[in-house]
Amino acid sequence: MSEPTPDEQASNGPNYGDELAVVIVTYHSGETLGACLDSLGPASNRPVRVVLSDNTPDDPSAAEAASRTGAKLVTNRENVGYGAGINRGVAELGPEVGWIVIANADLEFAAGSLDELREAAERWPRGGAFGPLISEPDGSTYPSARLLPSLGRGAGHAVFGKVWPANPWTRAYRQSDNAVIERRSEWLSGSCQLLRRSAFDSVQGFDSRYFMYFEDVDLGDRLGKAGWQNIYVPTATVMHVGGMSTAKAPRRMLAEHHRSAYRYLADRHTGWKWAPVRFSVKAGLAARLKLSHRA
């Protein structure tokens, strides 16, 4: 007899249907949001409902896009961050929705990409999250399926990633030498994922303490610990224009990146015996942030 899937183990939860919804967090998204929404039609042969979780209530662009496309608009009173924004959008979905695509507003979906992700989910019954191949506007591939950042790997990547991109810690972390094939990963980029809703529920969604960055690393880790798999599906492709929202406040986003990195590592190294390590990590990240600001 085969071992029950996490989905079967969580069968006492809501009985979700098979419908698909896309939840997009918007923040001064401007023109990119329109292109993103327009690309959703060819991305799937099945109906796709859309929820926009808007972190800029003073910007009418999300409301205009929702009115034009029929998307549901959730207006947050303030910028609550990416993970919390996704959680609020998911909370608007009824039980008929069993599959959730989370996405940045500056993505463009390739034709058939959502169907590719759903087909992969049939092949991986323990899959909780499915990530597409993410391409950059110049045609390069973003390393969106990675190993978890252990202390050693994380430190090596943090210290040498900018000055020596081919260093062994960064290459291992980014899985640079892996073939571009469908495979398991330890975490997937939060800029675009298909999530089995029962898996998302089983870990209570995103940890809203992460305002920006590392919320996807944390989610992938918690999904894995709950018995789910993170699956990279490169036959599904999206293009990430990138940086449209974070460019509004680059210094704050740089600080949030370092703050989230510390939170992720500190959460996994608790207790008095790890106190010297946490202190060293915090000091090292503070020094790195200062150098980054100067650069």
Side-chain angles (χ1 to χ4, degrees):
M1 176 182 288
S2 63
E3 184 180 347
T5 67
D7 209 359
E8 292 166 341
Q9 294 176 33
S11 58
N12 58 340
N15 185 22
Y16 291 124
D18 200 45
E19 291 191 23
L20 175 68
V22 178
V23 178
I24 300 171
V25 173
T26 62
Y27 179 74
H28 292 295
S29 300
E31 296 177 0
T32 61
L33 176 59
C36 175
L37 294 174
D38 290 343
S39 71
L40 282 172
S44 178
N45 288 323
R46 66 176 64 195
V48 177
R49 65 180 64 190
V50 180
V51 177
L52 303 181
S53 182
D54 186 26
N55 279 337
T56 45
D58 59 339
D59 181 356
S61 61
E64 291 168 359
S67 177
R68 179 177 67 84
T69 62
K72 178 168 185 156
L73 180 66
V74 178
T75 303
N76 302 315
R77 295 182 185 177
E78 59 184 353
N79 185 0
V80 297
Y82 186 71
I86 291 290
N87 290 345
R88 292 187 180 187
V90 172
E92 296 294 320
L93 300 173
E96 68 280 3
V97 176
W99 301 92
I100 308 160
V101 173
I102 61 171
N104 285 2
D106 50 4
L107 285 179
E108 291 182 23
F109 293 83
S113 54
L114 296 184
D115 289 339
E116 288 281 352
L117 291 173
R118 278 290 283 111
E119 288 168 12
E122 299 299 323
R123 298 190 289 271
W124 298 85
R126 296 180 187 278
F130 302 85
L133 183 149
I134 301 174
S135 66
E136 306 280 12
D138 63 3
S140 62
T141 298
Y142 178 74
S144 59
R146 306 188 187 188
L147 294 181
L148 292 169
S150 63
L151 278 173
R153 202 159 42 229
H157 172 64
V159 172
F160 297 109
K162 294 290 187 183
V163 297
W164 178 22
N167 74 79
W169 300 280
T170 295
R171 293 189 69 80
Y173 172 53
R174 291 186 170 183
Q175 295 287 272
S176 300
D177 298 325
N178 280 28
V180 183
I181 58 172
E182 188 169 299
R183 58 177 173 82
R184 291 179 60 179
S185 177
E186 292 188 351
W187 69 277
L188 301 161
S189 170
S191 61
C192 185
Q193 289 183 34
L194 168 70
L195 288 156
R196 199 182 297 265
R197 192 171 180 185
S198 54
F200 191 73
D201 279 1
S202 74
V203 295
Q204 289 78 53
F206 280 107
D207 184 340
S208 60
R209 295 177 303 156
Y210 294 87
F211 179 79
M212 280 285 289
Y213 305 108
F214 277 82
E215 72 284 323
D216 46 7
V217 188
D218 173 77
L219 180 69
D221 183 31
R222 289 187 292 115
L223 284 171
K225 288 174 178 174
W228 299 98
Q229 297 171 336
N230 296 281
I231 307 299
Y232 180 49
V233 188
T235 52
T237 62
V238 301
M239 185 177 74
H240 189 202
V241 177
M244 299 304 293
S245 297
T246 54
K248 298 291 182 182
R251 289 181 68 87
R252 182 188 178 186
M253 291 303 101
L254 193 59
E256 291 293 346
H257 188 278
H258 287 73
R259 185 177 294 114
S260 293
Y262 174 75
R263 182 182 298 282
Y264 175 84
L265 292 170
D267 279 355
R268 285 151 182 82
H269 298 86
T270 58
W272 64 268
K273 70 176 182 179
W274 286 105
V277 173
R278 292 196 301 272
F279 175 81
S280 299
V281 168
K282 195 167 192 176
L285 286 168
R288 186 177 185 270
L289 176 60
K290 187 175 291 186
L291 289 172
S292 297
H293 281 319
R294 289 179 180 175

Short mmCIF file of all heavy atoms in Angstrom, two decimals, residues 227-284:
data_model
loop_
_atom_site.label_atom_id
_atom_site.label_comp_id
_atom_site.label_asym_id
_atom_site.label_seq_id
_atom_site.Cartn_x
_atom_site.Cartn_y
_atom_site.Cartn_z
N GLY A 227 5.79 17.73 4.42
CA GLY A 227 5.65 16.54 3.59
C GLY A 227 5.34 16.79 2.13
O GLY A 227 5.18 15.85 1.35
N TRP A 228 5.26 18.07 1.73
CA TRP A 228 5.00 18.41 0.34
C TRP A 228 6.30 18.55 -0.44
O TRP A 228 7.38 18.67 0.15
CB TRP A 228 4.21 19.73 0.25
CG TRP A 228 2.89 19.70 0.91
CD1 TRP A 228 2.57 20.16 2.16
CD2 TRP A 228 1.67 19.17 0.38
NE1 TRP A 228 1.26 19.96 2.44
CE2 TRP A 228 0.67 19.36 1.36
CE3 TRP A 228 1.34 18.58 -0.84
CZ2 TRP A 228 -0.65 18.96 1.17
CZ3 TRP A 228 0.02 18.19 -1.03
CH2 TRP A 228 -0.96 18.38 -0.04
N GLN A 229 6.19 18.57 -1.75
CA GLN A 229 7.35 18.76 -2.63
C GLN A 229 7.21 20.06 -3.39
O GLN A 229 6.10 20.49 -3.74
CB GLN A 229 7.46 17.59 -3.62
CG GLN A 229 7.70 16.25 -2.97
CD GLN A 229 7.59 15.10 -3.96
OE1 GLN A 229 6.92 15.21 -5.00
NE2 GLN A 229 8.23 13.99 -3.66
N ASN A 230 8.36 20.70 -3.65
CA ASN A 230 8.44 21.88 -4.51
C ASN A 230 8.99 21.41 -5.86
O ASN A 230 10.10 20.86 -5.92
CB ASN A 230 9.38 22.92 -3.90
CG ASN A 230 8.88 23.45 -2.57
OD1 ASN A 230 8.01 24.30 -2.53
ND2 ASN A 230 9.44 22.94 -1.47
N ILE A 231 8.23 21.61 -6.92
CA ILE A 231 8.57 21.03 -8.22
C ILE A 231 8.84 22.14 -9.24
O ILE A 231 8.02 23.03 -9.45
CB ILE A 231 7.43 20.13 -8.74
CG1 ILE A 231 7.04 19.09 -7.69
CG2 ILE A 231 7.85 19.48 -10.05
CD1 ILE A 231 8.16 18.14 -7.29
N TYR A 232 10.00 22.04 -9.88
CA TYR A 232 10.38 22.97 -10.95
C TYR A 232 9.87 22.40 -12.27
O TYR A 232 10.14 21.24 -12.61
CB TYR A 232 11.90 23.10 -10.97
CG TYR A 232 12.46 24.03 -12.03
CD1 TYR A 232 11.96 25.31 -12.22
CD2 TYR A 232 13.54 23.63 -12.82
CE1 TYR A 232 12.50 26.16 -13.16
CE2 TYR A 232 14.09 24.48 -13.77
CZ TYR A 232 13.57 25.73 -13.93
OH TYR A 232 14.12 26.58 -14.87
N VAL A 233 9.11 23.23 -13.01
CA VAL A 233 8.48 22.78 -14.27
C VAL A 233 8.92 23.72 -15.40
O VAL A 233 8.21 24.66 -15.75
CB VAL A 233 6.94 22.79 -14.13
CG1 VAL A 233 6.30 22.15 -15.36
CG2 VAL A 233 6.50 22.07 -12.86
N PRO A 234 10.09 23.48 -16.01
CA PRO A 234 10.61 24.43 -17.01
C PRO A 234 9.87 24.42 -18.34
O PRO A 234 10.10 25.30 -19.17
CB PRO A 234 12.06 23.98 -17.18
CG PRO A 234 12.07 22.53 -16.82
CD PRO A 234 11.04 22.40 -15.73
N THR A 235 8.97 23.45 -18.56
CA THR A 235 8.16 23.50 -19.79
C THR A 235 7.12 24.60 -19.72
O THR A 235 6.57 25.01 -20.75
CB THR A 235 7.47 22.15 -20.03
OG1 THR A 235 6.76 21.76 -18.85
CG2 THR A 235 8.50 21.07 -20.40
N ALA A 236 6.83 25.08 -18.51
CA ALA A 236 5.96 26.26 -18.33
C ALA A 236 6.88 27.47 -18.20
O ALA A 236 7.82 27.45 -17.41
CB ALA A 236 5.12 26.11 -17.07
N THR A 237 6.64 28.51 -18.97
CA THR A 237 7.54 29.66 -18.97
C THR A 237 6.78 30.96 -18.75
O THR A 237 5.65 31.13 -19.20
CB THR A 237 8.34 29.75 -20.29
OG1 THR A 237 7.42 29.93 -21.38
CG2 THR A 237 9.16 28.50 -20.53
N VAL A 238 7.44 31.86 -18.04
CA VAL A 238 6.94 33.23 -17.87
C VAL A 238 8.13 34.17 -18.04
O VAL A 238 9.28 33.77 -17.84
CB VAL A 238 6.29 33.45 -16.49
CG1 VAL A 238 5.12 32.50 -16.28
CG2 VAL A 238 7.31 33.30 -15.37
N MET A 239 7.85 35.41 -18.40
CA MET A 239 8.91 36.42 -18.47
C MET A 239 8.69 37.42 -17.35
O MET A 239 7.58 37.91 -17.15
CB MET A 239 8.92 37.16 -19.81
CG MET A 239 10.11 38.12 -19.93
SD MET A 239 10.20 38.96 -21.52
CE MET A 239 8.86 40.14 -21.36
N HIS A 240 9.75 37.71 -16.63
CA HIS A 240 9.68 38.63 -15.50
C HIS A 240 10.38 39.92 -15.89
O HIS A 240 11.61 39.95 -16.03
CB HIS A 240 10.36 38.00 -14.27
CG HIS A 240 10.16 38.78 -13.01
ND1 HIS A 240 11.01 38.67 -11.94
CD2 HIS A 240 9.21 39.68 -12.65
CE1 HIS A 240 10.59 39.46 -10.96
NE2 HIS A 240 9.50 40.08 -11.38
N VAL A 241 9.60 40.98 -16.07
CA VAL A 241 10.20 42.28 -16.39
C VAL A 241 11.05 42.74 -15.23
O VAL A 241 12.18 43.19 -15.39
CB VAL A 241 9.10 43.31 -16.73
CG1 VAL A 241 9.71 44.67 -16.99
CG2 VAL A 241 8.28 42.83 -17.92
N GLY A 242 10.50 42.62 -14.01
CA GLY A 242 11.29 42.79 -12.79
C GLY A 242 11.53 44.21 -12.35
O GLY A 242 11.70 45.13 -13.15
N GLY A 243 11.52 44.38 -11.04
CA GLY A 243 11.97 45.61 -10.42
C GLY A 243 11.04 46.80 -10.50
O GLY A 243 11.39 47.88 -10.03
N MET A 244 9.84 46.66 -11.07
CA MET A 244 8.98 47.82 -11.24
C MET A 244 8.49 48.36 -9.89
O MET A 244 8.43 49.56 -9.68
CB MET A 244 7.77 47.45 -12.11
CG MET A 244 8.16 46.98 -13.51
SD MET A 244 9.16 48.18 -14.43
CE MET A 244 7.96 49.48 -14.65
N SER A 245 8.15 47.47 -8.98
CA SER A 245 7.66 47.91 -7.67
C SER A 245 8.80 48.24 -6.72
O SER A 245 8.79 49.26 -6.04
CB SER A 245 6.77 46.81 -7.05
OG SER A 245 5.63 46.60 -7.85
N THR A 246 9.80 47.35 -6.67
CA THR A 246 10.90 47.57 -5.73
C THR A 246 11.74 48.79 -6.11
O THR A 246 12.39 49.39 -5.25
CB THR A 246 11.82 46.34 -5.68
OG1 THR A 246 12.25 46.01 -7.00
CG2 THR A 246 11.08 45.15 -5.08
N ALA A 247 11.69 49.21 -7.38
CA ALA A 247 12.46 50.38 -7.81
C ALA A 247 11.93 51.67 -7.18
O ALA A 247 12.62 52.68 -7.16
CB ALA A 247 12.43 50.49 -9.33
N LYS A 248 10.69 51.62 -6.63
CA LYS A 248 10.12 52.82 -6.02
C LYS A 248 10.85 53.20 -4.73
O LYS A 248 10.85 54.35 -4.34
CB LYS A 248 8.64 52.59 -5.72
CG LYS A 248 7.78 52.33 -6.95
CD LYS A 248 7.64 53.55 -7.82
CE LYS A 248 6.75 53.27 -9.02
NZ LYS A 248 6.64 54.43 -9.92
N ALA A 249 11.45 52.21 -4.07
CA ALA A 249 12.14 52.48 -2.79
C ALA A 249 13.33 51.54 -2.67
O ALA A 249 13.32 50.61 -1.86
CB ALA A 249 11.18 52.30 -1.63
N PRO A 250 14.37 51.74 -3.50
CA PRO A 250 15.47 50.78 -3.54
C PRO A 250 16.22 50.63 -2.22
O PRO A 250 16.61 49.52 -1.86
CB PRO A 250 16.38 51.34 -4.64
CG PRO A 250 16.01 52.79 -4.76
CD PRO A 250 14.56 52.85 -4.43
N ARG A 251 16.42 51.73 -1.49
CA ARG A 251 17.15 51.62 -0.23
C ARG A 251 16.35 50.82 0.80
O ARG A 251 16.91 49.98 1.52
CB ARG A 251 17.49 53.02 0.32
CG ARG A 251 18.55 53.74 -0.50
CD ARG A 251 18.86 55.11 0.10
NE ARG A 251 19.53 54.99 1.38
CZ ARG A 251 20.84 54.87 1.53
NH1 ARG A 251 21.63 54.83 0.48
NH2 ARG A 251 21.36 54.80 2.73
N ARG A 252 15.05 51.07 0.85
CA ARG A 252 14.23 50.30 1.79
C ARG A 252 14.22 48.82 1.41
O ARG A 252 14.29 47.94 2.27
CB ARG A 252 12.80 50.84 1.83
CG ARG A 252 11.96 50.06 2.85
CD ARG A 252 10.50 50.39 2.84
NE ARG A 252 9.81 49.57 3.81
CZ ARG A 252 8.50 49.54 3.96
NH1 ARG A 252 7.72 50.32 3.23
NH2 ARG A 252 7.94 48.75 4.86
N MET A 253 14.11 48.52 0.11
CA MET A 253 14.05 47.13 -0.32
C MET A 253 15.36 46.41 -0.01
O MET A 253 15.36 45.23 0.36
CB MET A 253 13.74 47.05 -1.81
CG MET A 253 12.32 47.48 -2.16
SD MET A 253 11.03 46.54 -1.30
CE MET A 253 10.57 47.68 0.00
N LEU A 254 16.48 47.11 -0.15
CA LEU A 254 17.77 46.51 0.19
C LEU A 254 17.82 46.19 1.68
O LEU A 254 18.28 45.11 2.09
CB LEU A 254 18.90 47.47 -0.19
CG LEU A 254 20.33 46.91 -0.21
CD1 LEU A 254 20.44 45.75 -1.17
CD2 LEU A 254 21.31 48.02 -0.59
N ALA A 255 17.32 47.10 2.50
CA ALA A 255 17.28 46.86 3.94
C ALA A 255 16.34 45.71 4.28
O ALA A 255 16.66 44.87 5.15
CB ALA A 255 16.84 48.13 4.66
N GLU A 256 15.19 45.63 3.60
CA GLU A 256 14.25 44.55 3.86
C GLU A 256 14.86 43.20 3.48
O GLU A 256 14.61 42.19 4.15
CB GLU A 256 12.95 44.77 3.08
CG GLU A 256 12.11 45.93 3.56
CD GLU A 256 11.53 45.71 4.96
OE1 GLU A 256 11.57 44.55 5.46
OE2 GLU A 256 11.05 46.70 5.55
N HIS A 257 15.64 43.18 2.41
CA HIS A 257 16.29 41.93 1.99
C HIS A 257 17.19 41.41 3.10
O HIS A 257 17.16 40.22 3.46
CB HIS A 257 17.07 42.16 0.70
CG HIS A 257 17.61 40.90 0.11
ND1 HIS A 257 18.78 40.31 0.54
CD2 HIS A 257 17.14 40.10 -0.90
CE1 HIS A 257 19.00 39.22 -0.16
NE2 HIS A 257 18.02 39.07 -1.04
N HIS A 258 18.00 42.28 3.66
CA HIS A 258 18.92 41.87 4.72
C HIS A 258 18.16 41.53 6.00
O HIS A 258 18.53 40.57 6.70
CB HIS A 258 19.95 42.97 4.97
CG HIS A 258 20.99 43.08 3.89
ND1 HIS A 258 20.72 43.61 2.65
CD2 HIS A 258 22.29 42.70 3.86
CE1 HIS A 258 21.80 43.56 1.90
NE2 HIS A 258 22.77 43.02 2.60
N ARG A 259 17.11 42.27 6.30
CA ARG A 259 16.31 41.99 7.49
C ARG A 259 15.65 40.61 7.38
O ARG A 259 15.63 39.83 8.34
CB ARG A 259 15.26 43.08 7.68
CG ARG A 259 14.45 42.95 8.96
CD ARG A 259 13.47 44.11 9.12
NE ARG A 259 14.18 45.38 9.30
CZ ARG A 259 14.16 46.38 8.44
NH1 ARG A 259 13.47 46.28 7.31
NH2 ARG A 259 14.81 47.49 8.68
N SER A 260 15.13 40.31 6.20
CA SER A 260 14.47 39.02 6.00
C SER A 260 15.47 37.87 6.02
O SER A 260 15.15 36.77 6.49
CB SER A 260 13.71 39.03 4.67
OG SER A 260 12.62 39.93 4.72
N ALA A 261 16.66 38.10 5.49
CA ALA A 261 17.69 37.06 5.53
C ALA A 261 18.02 36.69 6.97
O ALA A 261 18.15 35.51 7.32
CB ALA A 261 18.95 37.54 4.80
N TYR A 262 18.14 37.71 7.80
CA TYR A 262 18.43 37.44 9.22
C TYR A 262 17.26 36.70 9.87
O TYR A 262 17.47 35.73 10.61
CB TYR A 262 18.70 38.74 9.98
CG TYR A 262 18.87 38.48 11.47
CD1 TYR A 262 20.04 37.91 11.97
CD2 TYR A 262 17.83 38.76 12.36
CE1 TYR A 262 20.18 37.62 13.31
CE2 TYR A 262 17.96 38.47 13.70
CZ TYR A 262 19.13 37.91 14.17
OH TYR A 262 19.26 37.60 15.50
N ARG A 263 16.04 37.12 9.61
CA ARG A 263 14.88 36.47 10.21
C ARG A 263 14.84 34.99 9.84
O ARG A 263 14.58 34.13 10.70
CB ARG A 263 13.58 37.15 9.77
CG ARG A 263 12.34 36.53 10.42
CD ARG A 263 11.06 37.20 9.93
NE ARG A 263 11.01 38.60 10.26
CZ ARG A 263 10.71 39.07 11.47
NH1 ARG A 263 10.45 38.23 12.44
NH2 ARG A 263 10.68 40.36 11.68
N TYR A 264 15.08 34.70 8.56
CA TYR A 264 15.03 33.31 8.10
C TYR A 264 16.05 32.45 8.86
O TYR A 264 15.71 31.36 9.35
CB TYR A 264 15.30 33.25 6.59
CG TYR A 264 15.37 31.83 6.08
CD1 TYR A 264 14.21 31.14 5.74
CD2 TYR A 264 16.59 31.17 5.96
CE1 TYR A 264 14.27 29.83 5.30
CE2 TYR A 264 16.65 29.86 5.52
CZ TYR A 264 15.49 29.20 5.19
OH TYR A 264 15.55 27.89 4.75
N LEU A 265 17.29 32.91 8.94
CA LEU A 265 18.33 32.13 9.60
C LEU A 265 18.12 32.08 11.11
O LEU A 265 18.32 31.04 11.75
CB LEU A 265 19.70 32.69 9.26
CG LEU A 265 20.13 32.52 7.80
CD1 LEU A 265 21.39 33.31 7.50
CD2 LEU A 265 20.33 31.04 7.47
N ALA A 266 17.71 33.20 11.71
CA ALA A 266 17.50 33.24 13.16
C ALA A 266 16.35 32.32 13.57
O ALA A 266 16.42 31.67 14.62
CB ALA A 266 17.22 34.67 13.61
N ASP A 267 15.30 32.25 12.75
CA ASP A 267 14.17 31.38 13.06
C ASP A 267 14.58 29.91 13.10
O ASP A 267 13.93 29.09 13.76
CB ASP A 267 13.06 31.55 12.03
CG ASP A 267 12.19 32.76 12.31
OD1 ASP A 267 12.38 33.41 13.35
OD2 ASP A 267 11.32 33.07 11.47
N ARG A 268 15.63 29.57 12.38
CA ARG A 268 16.06 28.18 12.28
C ARG A 268 17.25 27.85 13.16
O ARG A 268 17.75 26.72 13.13
CB ARG A 268 16.35 27.85 10.80
CG ARG A 268 15.05 27.70 10.02
CD ARG A 268 15.16 28.07 8.57
NE ARG A 268 13.85 27.92 7.93
CZ ARG A 268 12.87 28.83 7.98
NH1 ARG A 268 13.08 29.97 8.63
NH2 ARG A 268 11.70 28.62 7.39
N HIS A 269 17.70 28.82 13.91
CA HIS A 269 18.82 28.61 14.84
C HIS A 269 18.48 29.32 16.14
O HIS A 269 19.03 30.36 16.47
CB HIS A 269 20.13 29.13 14.23
CG HIS A 269 20.52 28.42 12.97
ND1 HIS A 269 20.04 28.82 11.74
CD2 HIS A 269 21.30 27.33 12.76
CE1 HIS A 269 20.53 28.00 10.80
NE2 HIS A 269 21.28 27.11 11.40
N THR A 270 17.53 28.75 16.87
CA THR A 270 17.02 29.37 18.08
C THR A 270 17.74 28.84 19.32
O THR A 270 18.48 27.85 19.26
CB THR A 270 15.51 29.11 18.21
OG1 THR A 270 15.27 27.69 18.23
CG2 THR A 270 14.75 29.71 17.04
N GLY A 271 17.50 29.47 20.44
CA GLY A 271 18.07 29.02 21.70
C GLY A 271 19.40 29.68 22.01
O GLY A 271 20.05 30.27 21.15
N TRP A 272 19.80 29.53 23.28
CA TRP A 272 21.01 30.23 23.75
C TRP A 272 22.27 29.75 23.06
O TRP A 272 23.20 30.52 22.84
CB TRP A 272 21.14 30.07 25.27
CG TRP A 272 21.34 28.64 25.71
CD1 TRP A 272 20.38 27.74 26.07
CD2 TRP A 272 22.60 27.97 25.82
NE1 TRP A 272 20.94 26.54 26.39
CE2 TRP A 272 22.31 26.64 26.26
CE3 TRP A 272 23.93 28.32 25.60
CZ2 TRP A 272 23.30 25.70 26.48
CZ3 TRP A 272 24.92 27.38 25.82
CH2 TRP A 272 24.61 26.08 26.26
N LYS A 273 22.33 28.46 22.71
CA LYS A 273 23.58 27.94 22.13
C LYS A 273 23.87 28.53 20.74
O LYS A 273 25.01 28.54 20.30
CB LYS A 273 23.55 26.43 22.05
CG LYS A 273 22.59 25.84 21.04
CD LYS A 273 22.71 24.33 20.98
CE LYS A 273 21.77 23.74 19.92
NZ LYS A 273 21.92 22.27 19.85
N TRP A 274 22.81 29.02 20.08
CA TRP A 274 23.00 29.63 18.76
C TRP A 274 23.15 31.15 18.84
O TRP A 274 23.30 31.81 17.81
CB TRP A 274 21.82 29.29 17.85
CG TRP A 274 21.82 27.87 17.36
CD1 TRP A 274 21.02 26.87 17.78
CD2 TRP A 274 22.68 27.32 16.36
NE1 TRP A 274 21.31 25.70 17.10
CE2 TRP A 274 22.33 25.95 16.22
CE3 TRP A 274 23.71 27.83 15.56
CZ2 TRP A 274 22.96 25.09 15.33
CZ3 TRP A 274 24.34 26.98 14.67
CH2 TRP A 274 23.98 25.63 14.56
N ALA A 275 23.08 31.71 20.04
CA ALA A 275 23.14 33.16 20.19
C ALA A 275 24.39 33.78 19.56
O ALA A 275 24.29 34.80 18.86
CB ALA A 275 23.03 33.55 21.66
N PRO A 276 25.59 33.20 19.75
CA PRO A 276 26.78 33.78 19.10
C PRO A 276 26.68 33.76 17.57
O PRO A 276 27.14 34.68 16.90
CB PRO A 276 27.93 32.90 19.60
CG PRO A 276 27.43 32.29 20.86
CD PRO A 276 25.96 32.09 20.65
N VAL A 277 26.08 32.69 17.04
CA VAL A 277 25.92 32.60 15.59
C VAL A 277 24.96 33.66 15.10
O VAL A 277 25.21 34.34 14.09
CB VAL A 277 25.44 31.18 15.19
CG1 VAL A 277 25.11 31.13 13.69
CG2 VAL A 277 26.49 30.14 15.54
N ARG A 278 23.84 33.82 15.79
CA ARG A 278 22.87 34.85 15.39
C ARG A 278 23.50 36.24 15.45
O ARG A 278 23.27 37.08 14.56
CB ARG A 278 21.62 34.79 16.28
CG ARG A 278 20.78 33.55 16.10
CD ARG A 278 19.39 33.72 16.71
NE ARG A 278 19.45 34.02 18.14
CZ ARG A 278 19.48 33.11 19.10
NH1 ARG A 278 19.50 31.82 18.80
NH2 ARG A 278 19.50 33.47 20.38
N PHE A 279 24.29 36.49 16.49
CA PHE A 279 24.96 37.78 16.61
C PHE A 279 25.91 38.00 15.43
O PHE A 279 25.95 39.09 14.84
CB PHE A 279 25.74 37.86 17.93
CG PHE A 279 26.55 39.12 18.08
CD1 PHE A 279 25.94 40.32 18.49
CD2 PHE A 279 27.91 39.14 17.77
CE1 PHE A 279 26.69 41.48 18.60
CE2 PHE A 279 28.65 40.30 17.89
CZ PHE A 279 28.05 41.48 18.31
N SER A 280 26.67 36.97 15.07
CA SER A 280 27.62 37.09 13.96
C SER A 280 26.90 37.32 12.65
O SER A 280 27.32 38.13 11.81
CB SER A 280 28.49 35.83 13.89
OG SER A 280 29.24 35.66 15.06
N VAL A 281 25.80 36.59 12.44
CA VAL A 281 25.03 36.75 11.21
C VAL A 281 24.46 38.16 11.12
O VAL A 281 24.53 38.81 10.06
CB VAL A 281 23.89 35.70 11.15
CG1 VAL A 281 22.91 36.04 10.03
CG2 VAL A 281 24.46 34.31 10.94
N LYS A 282 23.91 38.65 12.23
CA LYS A 282 23.32 39.99 12.23
C LYS A 282 24.37 41.05 11.95
O LYS A 282 24.15 41.99 11.17
CB LYS A 282 22.64 40.26 13.58
CG LYS A 282 21.71 41.46 13.57
CD LYS A 282 20.86 41.48 14.82
CE LYS A 282 19.73 42.50 14.69
NZ LYS A 282 18.82 42.46 15.86
N ALA A 283 25.53 40.91 12.59
CA ALA A 283 26.61 41.88 12.38
C ALA A 283 27.12 41.82 10.95
O ALA A 283 27.38 42.86 10.31
CB ALA A 283 27.75 41.62 13.36
N GLY A 284 27.26 40.62 10.42
CA GLY A 284 27.73 40.47 9.04
C GLY A 284 26.77 41.05 8.03
O GLY A 284 27.17 41.73 7.07
#
